[in-house]
Amino acid sequence: MISQLGSFLLLDWDEIIYAEISRQMLERGDYFKMFINQQAFTEKPPLYFWLMASSFKFFGINEWAARLPSAVANLATIYLLYRTGKLWRSKRLGLVWALVYGFSFFPMLLNRSALIDPWFNFLIATSGYSLFAYYKGFENNSPRKSWQGYLGLAAISSGLAVLTKGWLGLVIPFFIIFWILIKNKHFFKHFVNLFITGIGALLMGGMWHIVSFFGQGLPWLKGFISFQLRLLNQVAEGHDGPFYYHWLVVVVGILPWSGYLLAGWRAPKLKARRFRQLDDFSFFNIVWIITVLIIFSIVQTKLPHYSSSAYIPLSYFVARGVLDFLELKNNNKLLIKIISAGAIIFLSSLPLLANYLLIDLAGVRRVIIEPATTIDKYFIIASLVVGLLAGGGLFLKDKWRFAVMNLKMLSLVVMMQVLLAVSVPLYQQIMQTPLRTLIDRAQAINKNSEVKAKIMLYKVLYFAPFFYQKAELSQVGSYKFKDDSALLDESYHKSLLIITEEPLVEELKQTASNLKLISKEGLFYLFSKNMDFK
């Protein structure tokens, strides 16, 4: 679960931004204000940055330390699902649930990244399942200390979730448990306990917001609120998509287990004709999935990790389907085998597909794929072979079904290792290395010139220089930073070094005059404005 954490550079955009904020937090010694590119960062609360800064302090400022908090959250989530499944169903289901989540495509990818979502998902899962445990304990007349303990854990987890990513850390778990109360007509019986718990979570999560407001004033509050509204009402950085975007993403992201959703949904206790007849735990998980998908379907900015908390309850139904399949109780075995075999073969071919697409992006025509080294080629072949074995193994006799399940998980691990070890570095070589080279060139020009120019990125979303090159950059076309397009006006006579990508060259030339091409790397260009070179 922690392999490949430091095997490649941090990726744009969020990994770089979060790592740079955490690095500056550590270097400044200020753990309440967040900065990047000499600007205050008001988009997110600080808990995740505290965790990453702590990791930097103990393990050094590097990629492995930046991604370590997410890996820890992943392991904690897997353990939580095992304990929850064991408590409410059986030890066997808890184990399968944990394995399905841990060996699903998008959770595996997400939990190896320096992103906020793994911790946020773990905290709202802890809060949600604690609230469910409180409810069942109260209804079953468990000792008072028992269900009070669950309420306390729910309050702490929700408060920390709010400190991690905002108000959804409180809304999601409490909204779901209130639906359970409404379904069972117990709303008023539990309202006071849940209201007090919610207030406690709000106070814990809101304390930093209060301190920030009094410390930084209205500009901070305006920046924080405007960012949330912008995500809701506008498409940020071109991340748009149809309304059903997240509904499709979670089905694809749970690969190679998506086929077992059919079995899980048709499990005996889910055959109820009416939604209200579902058992409480299944109802809780269904409402969770629907709540998350509806919220982020409404949000105009579409990114796959936004709805990633839905994988936790979704993997519960997949786990039920896997057990149903393994125990030979399902009538759709052939269909499930076909879907699962196709999924695992597709995933195992991802490193090959990724390399092909990336090389095509770079404008290099080749008849067959040619990875960077012979070893890379063997890794890609190994991924395909293991995937074909796992996919084909599904059609063996039923006595081999447990061995095939293990082979399926192995094939996913091999695929992920190859993808991260081969394809991601190739992507960085094509997309990030040329930009990094041009930034170095611009910094060298400034170093050797009496006149210091501002370095500008013209509608290029690239933030690696903040972390790796300690560069301060002017930005045009990024909602995250101040728009410096005014520097391109004729009235601005100071020197600029401008980096843009190939499709935007003509647009830049129409926007600014007195440009001179200095260098080209891959798909990117470096121009100077108002600079004379001898």
Side-chain angles (χ1 to χ4, degrees):
M1 297 298 176
I2 61 173
S3 63
Q4 302 287 351
L5 293 183
S7 61
F8 53 94
L9 299 176
L10 296 174
L11 291 164
D12 276 317
W13 304 320
D14 289 346
E15 278 200 319
I16 290 288
I17 291 173
Y18 296 162
E20 175 60 10
I21 291 168
S22 302
R23 183 188 69 81
Q24 289 202 22
M25 182 180 283
L26 184 64
E27 291 186 355
R28 288 170 179 263
D30 187 343
Y31 294 90
F32 281 87
K33 298 178 183 178
M34 295 171 284
F35 294 92
I36 184 170
N37 200 28
Q38 301 301 311
Q39 295 177 224
F41 182 83
T42 60
E43 296 177 10
K44 300 286 192 301
L47 180 60
Y48 180 73
F49 305 110
W50 292 343
L51 294 172
M52 191 185 289
S54 300
S55 183
F56 283 160
K57 185 171 184 178
F58 286 103
F59 302 108
I61 299 174
N62 55 64
E63 294 83 4
W64 188 88
R67 296 184 178 114
L68 180 62
S70 293
V72 172
N74 179 38
L75 294 173
T77 303
I78 289 172
Y79 180 71
L80 172 67
L81 299 188
Y82 166 72
R83 291 298 301 269
T84 303
K86 179 182 176 182
L87 178 63
W88 298 114
R89 287 293 179 264
S90 67
K91 182 177 181 179
R92 192 179 187 193
L93 186 133
L95 179 61
V96 174
W97 188 5
L99 289 174
V100 165
Y101 178 80
F103 289 92
S104 294
F105 171 64
F106 194 74
M108 283 187 72
L109 190 63
L110 181 66
N111 292 317
R112 285 172 170 79
S113 63
L115 297 179
I116 292 174
D117 301 87
W119 268 104
F120 180 71
N121 296 343
F122 166 68
L123 290 169
I124 63 172
T126 303
S127 176
Y129 291 134
S130 295
L131 289 173
F132 183 83
Y134 147 75
Y135 169 73
K136 299 303 287 187
F138 187 98
E139 292 297 318
N140 294 332
N141 297 314
S142 298
R144 186 181 183 88
K145 288 185 178 179
S146 173
W147 55 258
Q148 281 184 334
Y150 282 122
L151 281 180
L153 182 58
I156 293 171
S157 300
S158 284
L160 292 177
V162 171
L163 268 177
T164 303
K165 204 172 181 178
W167 58 276
L168 284 178
L170 181 67
V171 169
I172 291 175
F174 279 81
F175 180 81
I176 298 168
I177 198 63
F178 276 126
W179 270 101
I180 292 281
L181 303 184
I182 293 170
K183 170 181 176 284
N184 294 329
K185 300 179 181 180
H186 293 158
F187 183 80
F188 293 103
K189 184 194 297 188
H190 297 273
F191 178 79
V192 173
N193 286 336
L194 291 175
F195 180 78
I196 294 173
T197 304
I199 293 298
L202 190 60
L203 289 174
M204 171 178 283
M207 191 59 64
W208 173 82
H209 297 78
I210 295 171
V211 171
S212 295
F213 172 71
F214 284 105
Q216 302 178 55
L218 285 175
W220 171 85
L221 183 63
K222 182 180 178 181
F224 183 80
I225 294 176
S226 65
F227 175 75
Q228 311 304 322
L229 293 177
R230 191 184 301 121
L231 290 180
L232 181 64
N233 300 317
Q234 301 177 23
V235 176
E237 308 285 26
H239 297 300
D240 58 348
F243 183 83
Y244 57 83
Y245 173 89
H246 287 287
W247 301 77
L248 180 62
V249 162
V250 295
V251 174
V252 174
I254 204 74
L255 289 175
W257 311 102
S258 303
Y260 296 95
L261 281 173
L262 179 64
W265 186 257
R266 292 176 60 86
K269 290 187 179 181
L270 292 178
K271 288 182 179 179
R273 292 184 179 180
R274 285 193 270 173
F275 195 54
R276 291 172 62 87
Q277 292 177 323
L278 293 172
D279 66 277
D280 285 340
F281 194 67
S282 296
F283 183 87
F284 182 93
N285 284 292
I286 288 175
V287 173
W288 183 347
I289 295 169
I290 293 174
T291 300
V292 169
L293 293 180
I294 288 178
I295 288 174
F296 291 107
S297 295
I298 294 172
V299 171
Q300 294 302 302
T301 300
K302 310 291 187 188
L303 284 168
H305 57 270
Y306 280 6
S307 58
S308 59
S309 68
Y311 291 111
I312 293 173
L314 190 67
S315 59
Y316 163 72
F317 295 107
V318 173
R320 292 185 65 162
V322 169
L323 285 180
D324 187 40
F325 179 81
L326 292 177
E327 293 168 1
L328 309 179
K329 296 179 181 178
N330 194 270
N331 296 322
N332 301 291
K333 285 171 52 182
L334 180 60
L335 178 60
I336 293 172
K337 287 179 179 181
I338 292 172
I339 295 173
S340 299
I344 199 65
I345 292 171
F346 167 72
L347 288 176
S348 298
S349 66
L350 273 185
L352 176 64
L353 294 173
N355 275 34
Y356 177 81
L357 292 173
L358 288 169
I359 287 180
D360 183 63
L361 176 67
V364 180
R365 295 183 180 179
R366 302 183 183 189
V367 178
I368 57 172
I369 193 73
E370 294 185 14
T373 66
T374 303
I375 295 177
D376 290 349
K377 186 183 296 183
Y378 290 150
F379 283 158
I380 291 174
I381 293 172
S383 177
L384 282 170
V385 169
V386 176
L388 288 170
L389 289 175
L394 285 168
F395 297 94
L396 296 175
K397 291 184 178 180
D398 289 330
K399 66 179 181 179
W400 297 103
R401 58 190 181 277
F402 292 103
V404 171
M405 285 294 168
N406 292 328
L407 185 59
K408 180 181 280 192
M409 289 186 286
L410 174 63
S411 68
L412 194 63
V413 170
V414 172
M415 178 279 299
M416 190 63 67
Q417 299 292 90
V418 176
L419 189 68
L420 296 180
V422 177
S423 301
V424 172
L426 178 59
Y427 163 80
Q428 292 180 319
Q429 179 182 348
I430 293 171
M431 297 302 295
Q432 293 189 209
T433 300
L435 281 166
R436 196 171 178 179
T437 301
L438 293 180
I439 294 288
D440 284 337
R441 201 158 291 161
Q443 288 182 315
I445 291 171
N446 268 344
K447 184 177 180 180
N448 298 320
S449 175
E450 294 182 359
V451 178
K452 306 303 179 185
K454 283 183 176 291
I455 301 174
M456 172 183 286
L457 294 181
Y458 182 81
K459 297 185 179 181
V460 174
L461 301 175
Y462 178 62
F463 307 126
F466 300 149
F467 184 77
Y468 286 109
Q469 294 156 294
K470 308 300 184 291
E472 297 177 18
L473 303 176
S474 296
Q475 300 267 339
V476 173
S478 171
Y479 77 95
K480 289 183 179 294
F481 300 100
K482 176 186 174 184
D483 192 315
D484 286 325
S485 55
L487 302 184
L488 298 173
D489 293 345
E490 294 298 325
S491 58
Y492 186 82
H493 299 293
K494 294 183 180 180
S495 300
L496 292 172
L497 291 165
I498 308 168
I499 297 172
T500 192
E501 57 184 325
E502 194 169 86
L504 297 171
V505 169
E506 291 304 317
E507 178 184 314
L508 175 62
K509 289 180 178 179
Q510 293 175 8
T511 304
S513 60
N514 197 22
L515 294 176
K516 180 179 180 181
L517 178 63
I518 296 177
S519 182
K520 178 182 182 297
E521 291 287 337
L523 304 174
F524 302 94
Y525 293 73
L526 172 63
F527 291 93
S528 68
K529 183 178 187 298
N530 300 331
M531 291 190 75
D532 294 321
F533 295 97
K534 296 181 180 179

